Amino acid sequence: FEPAKYIEDLQGHWAAEGGNASYALLTRCFVLVNSTQSRIKIVDTLVNLLRVIIEGDPSSLLPTVWLATNAISPPYISLELGLGGSAISKALKNVCGLDSKSLKALYDKVGDAGDVAFEAKKKQSFTLRKPKPLTIQGVYQSLVKIASTQGTGSGEIKQRIVDRLLQDARGAEESRYVVRTLCQHLRIGAVKTTMLIALSRAFLLSRPPGADFPLKSRAELAGLKKEALAEVWSKAEEVVKACFAKRPNYNDLIPVLLEIGVCDELLVRCGLALHIPLRPMLGSITRDLSEMLTKLQGRDFSCEYKYDGQRAQVHCDSEGKVSIFSRHLELMTDKYPDLVAIIPKIRGDGVSSFIMEGEVVAVDQESGDLKTFQTLANRARKDVAIGSVKVNVCMFAFDLMYLNGEPLLDRPFRERRELLRSLFTEVPNQFTWVKSIDATSQDSETVLEFFKSATDVKCEGIMVKILDNLPNTKLTDEPDENPEIKEAAPEPRAKASKGKKKANSKASEKEPEKKTRRKALLSTYEPDKRLDSWLKVKKDYSTTFDTLDLIPIAGWHGQGRKSKWWSPILLAVRNEETGSLEAVCKCISGFTDTFYKANKEFYEEGGEHVLGGKPSYVDYEGGHPDVWFEPQEVWEMAFADITLSPVYTAAIGLVSDERGLSLRFPRFLKKRDDKSIDEASTSEFLAGLWRKQEEKAPGAVKEVKDE
Ligand code: ATP
């Protein structure tokens, strides 16, 4: 995981020939994507770009994908650009001849650094030297160079690279996207979320010169009915997504795609691998035990304590090398040397290599009593010397995904758990199994007792997991005789009125209907999926309503006692399809004075975390906040109900043509430092909660104007 090694490996992908695809091409794609609200057009634009590159300059495909997804390496290779806002400002001054005052005026006017670069470049009347047209590879290599330059003098070297990129950017649009890329805020979320879909389609239609994998011809596709066409797309999409869930690194995926295209062999060539984290399986929320018991009727399941710690994916190879990854796929081996040290003790005789998962929890070393998540959070982040560990931890293992060279993902959970518990050894207060009981829906009292015992020892609640597949359940997409598999009716979705709000048109537009089938709940490990085969029941849910993870986006000057702080604060959900943030409520409750103070300091007027005005990617027409925050935090919020609202735009077009959704009595619970804004609740999720609420008590919650 050495950055230097990563860069060396990357060189192999940069062909001696080719590599000339211009950055202008990528910029054009960004501009087109940004100018449309149509999801179909976004996907098509991206597919067209990828096809041009695949056929014309395949060696530029990998950098294209990294740049379009606004990253330079997978999360587990920590390669940070580490550029402060000042480097960008300096470059704008150096290259565009702006003084500090006019630069500040521009920031105040447009807010986003990329938009500042756009305006500045438009006004630029001279060039210091003849620009050399930027290529996609060149820009990507510059980023990698910036990230890998360290030590004395690195500041100047980085500045020179930034200056040169801005000098060579032709025109205002290229400058905008170069700067947004340098700030790591591309502001085109839709490109990131559709990349795998676009790749799967592009490789059905195009191949690089010299490759001979079969393609779908235009005539063949044109002859297909809507549903058959959707089937072709979705099959390819599933394969590519499955690969990326098991091995989330474009450096592995793209070269194999270029060689063999989208086919089943891709799953073999790009499967699970030691020391590369797979994307974890996630649990679906249930409101309470009774909803969980209803959902799992007729099935055997395991109830496990839901510990409040940090998820850990532990990889160990036959040489004994250990890697530990976080839920977000970051490498954290250095954080847990004590865990690394016990691996030889837990590994039984028959085990050579494995990937296992568990929750790492702070515990009292003597008694083994669980401590809070806050205690664990106080543990140093990195490079903890084993003798200086102050917060003791225990790993509560709950799954085994790989053993002795063989992936176990397709095995039923009961079997994976049996292997885990029989082949590994517990170490008191350092390594053990999650506490669990096996049950069925008939055992409601036992389950309730177990739930209570979990919350008594400070667990968040329980995780409930299906133990076995139903007999004859097929793991493939072949037609199935199983009675539990039914054609599911498409989710009802209100049609949005044309040209209404920005989010409307995109949300209402549909691709050819995908044939969705409700499959029997499987007990297999499904990377990157949130399915009902893993359910979570939290103690919070049993007393209150669901919570939402929202993004604070703006604030007003408080009144009276709160006049020194921001209050109320405007919060938003994320529209996954458009990449925009949709305002959902203002909040004034749940904050302490200490919180208000810290919040005001963080979002200080004129400071680096606030914007000069309302950003284009925010959807809110309900007023004029005094300050717009740079979206970067996720706050967990409780609330009484969800209401239709004429003011807020969240989920507009999903439940009503004209109305968005808002929250009544929103209350701040806690910051979710473990979540990035890409993981905040989506408008789809909010709409789902609203539908659930309506099913329970239709029309009970009336529309409100503004809470
Ligand atoms: P949450 O808001 O509950 O933390 P999340 O989105 O972070 O949700 P979920 O998949 O929804 O993640 O909840 C599962 C998380 O609970 C896991 O990521 C893991 O860290 C933790 N956990 C604790 N105990 C268990 C267990 N026995 N099995 C699985 N996950 C567990």
Side-chain angles (χ1 to χ4, degrees):
F1 303 110
E2 281 298 306
K5 171 85 174 62
Y6 176 72
I7 290 156
E8 203 183 298
D9 288 350
L10 277 177
Q11 311 289 352
H13 296 303
W14 293 330
E17 286 187 28
N20 300 323
S22 73
Y23 188 70
L25 191 64
L26 185 59
T27 304
R28 182 82 195 121
C29 167
F30 290 158
V31 172
L32 287 175
V33 167
N34 213 19
S35 68
T36 179
Q37 295 301 313
S38 154
R39 189 173 138 74
I40 294 177
K41 274 195 199 145
I42 292 175
V43 177
D44 280 354
T45 308
L46 206 49
V47 171
N48 286 340
L49 168 80
L50 297 175
R51 293 189 61 193
V52 169
I53 306 263
I54 292 167
E55 289 176 18
D57 184 13
S59 68
S60 288
L61 184 64
L62 186 56
T64 301
V65 172
W66 281 124
L67 290 179
T69 51
N70 207 7
I72 44 176
S73 61
Y76 56 91
I77 293 173
S78 105
L79 208 54
E80 303 279 334
L81 284 183
L83 284 177
S86 64
I88 313 277
S89 299
K90 242 192 212 168
L92 286 170
K93 285 196 233 164
N94 293 346
V95 175
C96 305
L98 291 176
D99 57 25
S100 304
K101 210 171 135 207
S102 35
L103 187 65
K104 172 148 193 326
L106 266 186
Y107 264 111
D108 288 348
K109 189 175 145 213
V110 294
D112 170 84
D115 297 346
V116 171
F118 177 87
E119 296 292 335
K121 198 76 174 192
K122 262 201 320 198
K123 291 191 179 132
Q124 185 182 341
S125 54
F126 67 95
T127 47
L128 293 173
R129 64 176 180 86
K130 195 165 177 285
K132 197 168 147 238
L134 292 173
T135 60
I136 292 173
Q137 276 203 13
V139 174
Y140 179 68
Q141 279 170 323
S142 298
L143 297 186
V144 173
K145 183 98 194 4
I146 292 173
S148 57
T149 304
Q150 285 164 351
T152 34
S154 60
E156 283 104 86
I157 299 174
K158 289 181 188 214
Q159 187 69 53
R160 266 205 301 280
I161 302 174
V162 175
D163 286 3
R164 200 166 319 128
L165 283 172
L166 261 176
Q167 269 163 17
D168 289 342
R170 277 181 308 174
E173 286 294 2
E174 269 191 45
S175 307
R176 184 193 327 255
Y177 287 104
V178 163
V179 166
R180 285 191 180 173
T181 298
L182 290 169
C183 296
Q184 293 183 289
H185 280 298
L186 204 48
R187 309 237 180 269
I188 314 182
V191 175
K192 196 170 178 174
T193 51
T194 42
M195 180 52 80
L196 294 175
I197 299 174
L199 276 171
S200 66
R201 292 186 189 184
F203 275 100
L204 284 188
L205 300 165
S206 292
R207 63 184 163 221
D212 61 357
F213 53 81
L215 297 177
K216 301 274 175 207
S217 75
R218 204 181 266 259
E220 193 183 337
L221 292 174
L224 291 179
K225 290 225 168 77
K226 248 186 177 182
E227 270 122 49
L229 183 65
E231 191 81 21
V232 171
W233 291 149
S234 79
K235 261 200 153 160
E237 195 180 309
E238 257 178 49
V239 171
V240 174
K241 282 187 171 168
C243 289
F244 204 69
K246 288 180 197 165
R247 204 193 278 214
N249 186 346
Y250 289 118
N251 294 341
D252 294 335
L253 178 68
I254 301 291
V256 187
L257 273 173
L258 284 167
E259 196 189 321
I260 60 174
V262 184
C263 56
D264 289 342
E265 201 196 325
L266 192 69
L267 287 161
V268 182
R269 297 268 304 266
C270 260
L272 214 58
L274 278 168
H275 305 298
I276 299 180
L278 60 149
R279 291 183 168 272
M281 180 164 177
L282 301 167
S284 300
I285 298 172
T286 49
R287 187 166 314 206
D288 50 29
L289 287 174
S290 106
E291 188 187 358
M292 178 279 283
L293 292 169
T294 313
K295 275 194 167 172
L296 300 190
Q297 228 156 31
R299 307 296 298 266
D300 288 357
F301 51 79
S302 162
C303 297
E304 300 176 351
Y305 279 9
K306 186 177 189 307
Y307 297 87
D308 199 5
Q310 179 172 32
R311 189 166 183 162
Q313 200 183 105
V314 180
H315 292 226
C316 177
D317 61 27
S318 52
E319 316 269 279
K321 181 185 160 189
V322 176
S323 309
I324 306 177
F325 300 97
S326 72
R327 178 187 161 194
H328 301 297
L329 316 185
E330 281 141 359
L331 186 67
M332 51 175 195
T333 320
D334 292 346
K335 186 177 169 183
Y336 293 115
D338 36 353
L339 205 52
V340 176
I342 56 160
I343 300 298
K345 292 188 206 154
I346 68 166
R347 191 157 75 152
D349 287 343
V351 178
S352 64
S353 59
F354 65 87
I355 301 177
M356 78 161 62
E357 235 183 359
E359 190 82 350
V360 174
V361 189
V363 293
D364 182 287
Q365 201 177 16
E366 300 305 316
S367 65
D369 287 351
L370 303 178
K371 296 194 175 172
T372 60
F373 175 74
Q374 209 42 53
T375 313
L376 181 70
N378 288 336
R379 186 170 159 136
R381 288 200 146 250
K382 261 182 169 188
D383 295 328
V384 189
I386 199 152
S388 64
V389 169
K390 294 207 178 58
V391 177
N392 292 302
V393 295
C394 178
M395 170 152 164
F396 293 87
F398 54 73
D399 219 316
L400 185 68
M401 295 93 93
Y402 181 94
L403 181 69
N404 298 343
E406 213 191 308
L408 304 180
L409 304 182
D410 285 344
R411 308 269 189 102
F413 179 49
R414 194 190 290 275
E415 200 178 319
R416 299 199 306 276
R417 191 182 65 173
E418 175 57 28
L419 288 169
L420 174 69
R421 296 191 179 186
S422 61
L423 294 177
F424 292 82
T425 312
E426 290 175 273
V427 177
N429 301 338
Q430 284 186 285
F431 177 84
T432 183
W433 328 120
V434 288
K435 196 168 163 71
S436 71
I437 55 162
D438 290 353
T440 71
S441 294
Q442 309 300 317
D443 309 318
S444 55
E445 285 192 10
T446 321
V447 172
L448 178 62
E449 279 304 305
F450 184 74
F451 180 79
K452 279 193 188 140
S453 71
T455 54
D456 284 348
V457 290
K458 299 202 194 92
C459 283
E460 287 187 297
I462 56 172
M463 297 290 300
V464 185
K465 302 173 182 176
I466 295 272
L467 278 165
D468 314 287
N469 294 332
L470 286 176
N472 307 324
T473 306
K474 294 199 172 74
L475 298 179
T476 65
D477 252 358
E478 291 159 37
D480 203 309
E481 306 290 286
N482 195 313
E484 218 185 297
I485 300 185
K486 300 187 188 100
E487 291 291 324
E491 283 277 298
R493 222 188 212 191
K495 226 177 160 237
S497 43
K498 254 194 200 161
K500 197 107 204 129
K501 287 270 191 269
K502 246 185 19 179
N504 260 10
S505 47
K506 207 181 278 187
S508 65
E509 192 177 44
K510 278 192 197 163
E511 303 233 349
E513 205 65 70
K514 259 191 216 166
K515 232 177 163 191
T516 43
R517 295 188 308 153
R518 187 162 67 82
K519 291 194 176 173
L521 294 178
L522 294 173
S523 62
T524 45
Y525 189 103
E526 302 287 328
D528 204 25
K529 293 200 179 147
R530 198 182 280 282
L531 300 172
D532 279 357
S533 41
W534 272 30
L535 294 177
K536 49 182 180 180
V537 191
K538 281 200 197 177
K539 73 175 165 239
D540 289 349
Y541 303 155
S542 45
T543 49
T544 63
F545 200 66
D546 298 295
T547 60
L548 282 165
D549 294 326
L550 303 180
I551 304 168
I553 53 166
W556 283 262
H557 287 294
Q559 309 259 324
R561 200 177 65 78
K562 296 184 186 170
S563 62
K564 293 200 287 295
W565 305 319
W566 298 126
S567 176
I569 290 169
L570 186 66
L571 293 125
V573 288
R574 188 167 63 85
N575 183 320
E576 205 163 28
E577 302 206 334
T578 62
S580 58
L581 301 181
E582 299 172 348
V584 64
C585 66
K586 285 181 206 161
C587 181
I588 50 166
S589 100
F591 304 119
T592 60
D593 287 3
T594 321
F595 181 91
Y596 270 131
K597 191 162 172 276
N599 179 263
K600 183 69 196 286
E601 277 163 17
F602 189 70
Y603 295 112
E604 184 195 2
E605 263 166 305
E608 56 172 331
H609 302 301
V610 306
L611 305 172
K614 177 173 172 252
S616 54
Y617 51 85
V618 162
D619 242 327
Y620 178 63
E621 306 298 338
H624 301 281
D626 296 318
V627 62
W628 287 95
F629 302 160
E630 168 88 52
Q632 53 197 307
E633 291 184 291
V634 177
W635 294 357
E636 188 172 347
M637 307 287 298
F639 51 92
D641 316 283
I642 306 173
T643 70
L644 283 170
S645 161
V647 175
Y648 293 99
T649 49
I652 197 162
L654 294 181
V655 297
S656 153
D657 290 0
E658 280 103 28
R659 302 285 191 255
L661 292 176
S662 184
L663 310 179
R664 277 200 333 132
F665 308 124
R667 182 166 48 86
F668 171 82
L669 290 179
K670 62 173 187 247
K671 277 194 195 186
R672 290 297 306 251
D673 291 330
D674 58 326
K675 289 202 170 179
S676 69
I677 61 170
D678 288 348
E679 290 161 299
S681 301
T682 60
S683 37
E684 278 281 355
F685 181 74
L686 176 67
L689 289 186
W690 187 83
R691 285 189 203 109
K692 264 201 212 170
Q693 174 187 295
E694 285 304 284
E695 268 166 30
K696 272 200 148 182
V701 183
K702 294 280 169 280
E703 177 177 318
V704 285
K705 204 152 180 296
D706 190 4
E707 285 285 340

